[in-house]
Amino acid sequence: MKCFALSHATRSATVVVLLLSSLLSGSALADNDLSNNQSEYQIGFMVNAIDKAITDAQPDSLELIYQYGTDSRYYVMIRGWLVQELTGVQSQLDAHRQQDERRQQLAHKVNFLKQAIRRIDLE
């Protein structure tokens, strides 16, 4: 009878260890999912902030682009985005022949985008 009790205790301990292990690994996966969700949220927030900064083209927008653009994790993405924006705006400016307010807005945006690229490249 003692052998049965010992083996039953051993099996119970094994089951408890397996259950705890399963719970802890599930908790680690949940923590990892939470961390991934938070990281995705932060990247989404950054993308929205950069988009707004590019659209506004104000001096304080340059600072925001600089802050995110000098982060080595995002530099290539942000620089590529700025270059693509610059190409599009430069094309519009080249096609717009009239000397009017729209041409001034496009010229301002071209200068802004060039400054933004220059600022993140200097770091």
Side-chain angles (χ1 to χ4, degrees):
M1 187 77 174
K2 282 186 173 181
C3 287
F4 177 76
L6 184 60
S7 73
H8 178 69
T10 303
R11 280 188 292 202
S12 294
T14 303
V15 168
V16 168
V17 167
L18 288 174
L19 284 173
L20 285 174
S21 172
S22 175
L23 287 172
L24 290 175
S25 67
S27 174
L29 289 175
D31 288 345
N32 192 25
D33 285 345
L34 181 61
S35 176
N36 284 341
N37 287 342
Q38 187 175 12
S39 177
E40 290 170 4
Y41 174 79
Q42 289 173 339
I43 291 171
F45 181 83
M46 175 198 61
V47 167
N48 284 335
I50 296 288
D51 185 45
K52 185 173 179 345
I54 290 171
T55 302
D56 291 348
Q58 299 297 320
D60 58 333
S61 299
L62 282 174
E63 185 60 33
L64 183 103
I65 292 169
Y66 171 78
Q67 288 174 356
Y68 285 120
T70 54
D71 186 329
S72 62
R73 297 172 294 177
Y74 310 122
Y75 168 78
V76 172
M77 178 189 75
I78 293 171
R79 189 180 193 290
W81 186 354
L82 292 170
V83 167
Q84 289 302 313
E85 287 284 331
L86 176 60
T87 302
V89 175
Q90 185 68 55
S91 176
Q92 290 176 27
L93 180 62
D94 293 343
H96 197 85
R97 299 287 180 212
Q98 298 173 0
Q99 295 293 332
D100 60 2
E101 185 179 337
R102 179 66 181 146
R103 183 166 177 79
Q104 290 174 350
Q105 290 171 345
L106 291 170
H108 172 73
K109 185 96 174 222
V110 164
N111 289 333
F112 170 82
L113 291 167
K114 285 180 179 180
Q115 284 179 353
I117 292 168
R118 206 172 307 122
R119 283 198 68 187
I120 65 172
D121 282 350
L122 290 175
E123 283 300 313

